[in-house]
Amino acid sequence: MSRTRNGKKIDLERGRAGVRAPSRNRAENKAKKSPSEKIKEKASGGLLVNWSVTRLTDERTGALSLEFTFRDPDGARQTRVIGAELTYAEILRELRKYSFEVPPGTKGTEFVEGLIKAAPKRSHVNSDMPGWKTASSNADPRKEKIAAYVTPSQIFGPDADRYRLCGSLTSQKSSLVGRVDGSLEDWNEAFYPFVEASNYIAFCIMCGLAGPAVRFAVPTESPCFNLFGPSSVGKTGAVKAGAAVVGHPDSIQDWSITRRALEETAAAYNDQLLVLNAAERLPQSNRKELLGFVAHSLVDGASSKRSSAVKNQLPELSSRNVTLSTSNLSGRDMAENCGLTWALQEEVRFIDIQVPSAEEGGIFDQLGTGDDRPAEARQLIHELEDTLSAVYGALLEPWIQFLMKNNSRQLFDMLTLRFVKHVGARPGAEERVARKFGLVYAAGRIAVAKKILDWPKSRPREAAVALFSRWREHHRSPSGLCAALSRLKNLLQNATAVPISRPGEPVAVQASAPFIGVRASYKGREVIGLRQESLVEVFGTKATALLLEWLKEQRLVESGHGQRTGMQLPVPLKIKGQLVSKPRLLVIDPSELTRALGKIT
């Protein structure tokens, strides 16, 4: 029976387009075998129906391979990947190493041939880098069709089942990206008290959202923000909150790695937030190379260029990240300490944001000015640690789904420019940095509008403006002697930097915190003893020389024996595990030093 539709003859028994209509006999339908099953059954005599083959394409090299899935003699599921360039006989020899059920002789070769011919023609993609994947290459990013977004734990998108993240770059820590515990509602409820009390935590959370969003913005270089300040002020907790946006908070990395390892680490966090924690743990010998790499190559998304002879073992990598870093010293001071040139181009790439002291509440800068602020901040830090281990990663899926379904490039650009205008950034360096803060603000503002973040509408801008102001204050601060004296004044109020010496007890110097000297009793009066070697470690050689010259001009340093600079005081110091019983210190009257510093504006 047939009839005509739009001039085309349609066979009603066979259905549309000449495809046979489903059989009305369910039993008959169920008994039918697919072409691939028929091929495998013919090749193996119907014995090895549990075998299958998947075609794989290496995303980087384009190399083809075949993944065989089968049962081993114990019945456990096994997979083996074999190069597609091998002959059927060569593949058969490889498979016989792992299975006793492969047919003998020519039947084995026929079996392999049948399996491969029965495999789906569309290959899966083996990717060594996470992040956004496109269905086709297009010079205009606005016209690219997104195929998937890949993390070690979850893959999203219309072609999610086609992509696989292989383990060549994935580490134990980066594998935690994409992990989820708790619902979106749980996440917002748990974190908002900290967001309300800390511009730093709010900003780091927005950085977590900005990582996947960099692709939809138009920055010339990826943002890198460094939170610097003394220890025990909550810096690590803040950056962990950023990591908890898209995965487990323990996915953060340390600075204490080699340059090549850092290149691979950046690639392992492609299109994600990359956290580099505790730069002070990096040995001084490696700091110059790593700091220069982060300030230049990392923000440009490029690794070192290599010769063709070693590219197979050490391929050139590229990445696109938002980076959060923490350190005790600013990038400027770290660079000076290790003899690295640090000029305007470095300051706009490695963006230093100072964190207040513990006495000022540390990262919890919204607690007011009460006397109980330090204690309240310490309590919040402990509560944040408990929260981080209980709920994380719940923002990833709704955020990725929004970015995938909406071409948000114009929206990000509009909000970024709005932020630049709001902060009144000067043309040049300030505007360049303001655009990076603007990207983070835009991510937060969009997430609030789409109910992904349950925050007041104004909160993203408040946090971004507060931290941009911190950067601008640091950037505009005077260099040279004035900056060194200003920092000296702050360190003198820090009990870790200038601890009080107790009779009979050595002063233990913490390697992770700045230390410049001690407060001690000498000949019946209170003095401050500054250790010159420690000043160099904290201030750098040039700034220390300026400080010493100023101290001499102000006649603040008491002369030692034979007019030597400094005195050996019986104030034992334990430095890097070694006891110095009588260190040579610059002995200064604290009241006179306070008076002289008070004249500095």
Side-chain angles (χ1 to χ4, degrees):
M1 180 178 178
S2 63
R3 63 184 176 86
T4 303
R5 181 187 298 165
N6 297 330
K8 185 176 180 179
K9 188 174 182 180
I10 303 296
D11 188 337
L12 298 182
E13 293 297 326
R14 295 181 61 84
R16 289 193 310 155
V19 177
R20 184 176 296 277
S23 170
R24 296 183 177 88
N25 189 328
R26 289 175 177 262
E28 176 189 345
N29 218 27
K30 186 176 181 180
K32 291 182 178 179
K33 300 183 183 295
S34 68
S36 62
E37 288 175 328
K38 289 180 179 178
I39 293 174
K40 287 193 289 186
E41 184 175 17
K42 180 179 178 181
S44 65
L47 298 176
L48 302 179
V49 294
N50 288 326
W51 285 66
S52 65
V53 175
T54 302
R55 302 177 195 273
L56 301 177
T57 302
D58 185 279
E59 185 180 46
R60 183 181 301 280
T61 65
L64 301 178
S65 57
L66 301 169
E67 180 184 74
F68 289 81
T69 303
F70 54 93
R71 300 285 179 181
D72 66 13
D74 295 326
R77 185 175 181 271
Q78 297 288 335
T79 60
R80 286 292 179 270
V81 177
I82 301 175
E85 74 281 0
L86 300 182
T87 64
Y88 295 141
E90 290 170 332
I91 293 174
L92 178 62
R93 282 197 294 270
E94 288 296 311
L95 292 176
R96 280 183 172 151
K97 296 177 183 178
Y98 308 105
S99 174
F100 299 137
E101 295 185 338
V102 178
T106 57
K107 287 187 177 181
T109 306
E110 292 172 357
F111 168 66
V112 170
E113 180 181 2
L115 279 176
I116 295 173
K117 288 182 177 179
K121 299 303 180 185
R122 191 185 191 198
S123 65
H124 288 239
V125 179
N126 262 358
S127 176
D128 56 4
M129 286 177 59
W132 296 103
K133 308 298 177 181
T134 55
S136 60
S137 179
N138 195 305
D140 187 350
R142 292 171 296 183
K143 297 180 180 179
E144 286 182 333
K145 182 182 177 182
I146 295 174
Y149 180 81
V150 177
T151 77
S153 302
Q154 295 187 76
I155 302 178
F156 307 94
D159 290 343
D161 59 344
R162 190 180 173 215
Y163 283 87
R164 301 179 178 188
L165 189 63
C166 57
S168 59
L169 296 176
T170 304
S171 66
Q172 184 177 359
K173 290 185 175 181
S174 68
S175 67
L176 298 175
V177 176
R179 299 280 181 90
V180 179
D181 194 343
S183 66
L184 180 61
E185 183 180 0
D186 294 336
W187 196 100
N188 276 298
E189 183 177 351
F191 278 93
Y192 187 68
F194 308 108
V195 170
E196 195 174 30
S198 172
N199 285 315
Y200 291 87
I201 290 178
F203 185 79
C204 289
I205 287 172
M206 294 191 295
C207 284
L209 294 168
V214 170
R215 181 188 184 279
F216 302 92
V218 284
T220 55
E221 57 204 12
S222 298
C224 177
F225 304 100
N226 180 51
L227 306 185
F228 77 95
S231 298
S232 303
V233 294
K235 301 189 299 291
T236 298
V239 295
K240 278 192 169 186
V245 168
V246 295
H248 196 287
D250 288 344
S251 62
I252 70 170
Q253 298 280 344
D254 294 327
W255 269 87
S256 53
I257 53 179
T258 65
R259 174 168 176 163
R260 175 61 189 179
L262 182 52
E263 292 178 8
E264 294 179 353
T265 296
Y269 289 80
N270 181 56
D271 286 330
Q272 297 165 5
L273 173 66
L274 169 64
V275 175
L276 298 174
N277 191 41
E280 61 274 5
R281 297 177 189 169
L282 183 65
Q284 189 79 5
S285 56
N286 297 344
R287 194 171 298 172
K288 182 176 182 179
E289 181 183 25
L290 265 291
L291 190 59
F293 173 77
V294 171
H296 290 277
S297 299
L298 180 62
V299 298
D300 287 336
S303 67
S304 304
K305 296 295 182 182
R306 293 181 171 82
S307 66
S308 56
V310 299
K311 277 186 178 181
N312 288 337
Q313 291 75 30
L314 297 173
E316 294 176 4
L317 303 171
S318 61
S319 60
R320 184 170 48 196
N321 316 92
V322 169
T323 303
L324 278 175
S325 162
T326 71
S327 63
N328 286 346
L329 303 179
S330 67
R332 182 193 303 171
D333 290 336
M334 287 192 290
E336 187 172 357
N337 282 349
C338 61
L340 178 67
T341 301
W342 200 260
L344 182 61
Q345 63 173 337
E346 285 76 29
E347 291 209 357
V348 299
R349 289 167 166 260
F350 191 81
I351 302 169
D352 281 316
I353 305 171
Q354 188 164 15
V355 179
S357 66
E359 290 75 17
E360 298 171 289
I363 61 169
F364 292 103
D365 56 340
Q366 300 294 291
L367 296 180
T369 57
D371 294 338
D372 59 346
R373 179 172 51 171
E376 188 177 353
R378 286 194 298 271
Q379 179 62 31
L380 283 170
I381 289 174
H382 293 315
E383 292 176 3
L384 176 61
E385 291 172 355
D386 293 338
T387 299
L388 287 167
S389 63
V391 57
Y392 47 81
L395 274 65
L396 176 63
E397 182 173 3
W399 182 239
I400 294 300
Q401 295 293 0
F402 166 77
L403 294 175
M404 196 171 287
K405 294 175 182 177
N406 298 273
N407 188 349
S408 306
R409 191 173 299 272
Q410 290 184 339
L411 181 57
F412 272 100
D413 198 34
M414 179 192 72
L415 290 171
T416 298
L417 293 176
R418 181 184 297 175
F419 179 84
V420 172
K421 183 178 180 180
H422 177 78
V423 297
R426 299 172 180 174
E430 273 197 11
E431 182 178 346
R432 186 172 161 187
V433 172
R435 288 187 66 90
K436 297 177 183 180
F437 278 92
L439 166 63
V440 177
Y441 155 72
R445 182 67 187 86
I446 293 170
V448 170
K450 297 302 175 182
K451 309 298 184 185
I452 297 171
L453 286 178
D454 188 10
W455 297 0
K457 185 172 68 174
S458 60
R459 192 69 186 101
R461 188 169 72 178
E462 291 169 356
V465 168
L467 268 62
F468 175 78
S469 299
R470 287 273 185 182
W471 170 82
R472 181 153 55 185
E473 180 182 355
H474 175 73
H475 173 65
R476 292 181 178 178
S477 64
S479 57
L481 178 60
C482 289
L485 291 174
S486 176
R487 187 156 185 234
L488 176 62
K489 188 187 298 186
N490 290 332
L491 288 172
L492 290 171
Q493 299 173 8
N494 187 327
T496 303
V498 191
I500 298 174
S501 172
R502 309 291 183 188
E505 297 181 11
V507 175
V509 177
Q510 300 179 18
S512 60
F515 168 82
I516 59 172
V518 295
R519 295 182 183 272
S521 179
Y522 179 65
K523 293 184 179 180
R525 60 193 177 91
E526 297 301 314
V527 299
I528 289 177
L530 298 179
R531 183 172 180 264
Q532 188 168 334
E533 297 89 339
S534 298
L535 289 173
V536 172
E537 290 178 2
V538 174
F539 287 89
T541 305
K542 293 181 181 178
T544 298
L546 293 172
L547 282 175
L548 294 177
E549 188 66 22
W550 179 82
L551 291 170
K552 290 177 183 178
E553 288 179 356
Q554 299 294 317
R555 299 183 179 180
L556 294 172
V557 181
E558 299 183 15
S559 299
H561 181 70
Q563 300 300 311
R564 293 183 66 181
T565 300
M567 301 181 184
Q568 283 186 298
L569 297 188
V571 181
L573 302 178
K574 194 171 184 180
I575 304 174
K576 296 180 180 178
Q578 295 186 346
L579 184 66
V580 182
S581 57
K582 294 182 69 176
R584 183 170 294 279
L585 304 173
L586 305 174
V587 179
I588 301 170
D589 184 298
S591 60
E592 289 298 314
L593 179 57
T594 300
R595 176 191 56 79
L597 288 172
K599 297 178 181 179
I600 307 298
T601 57

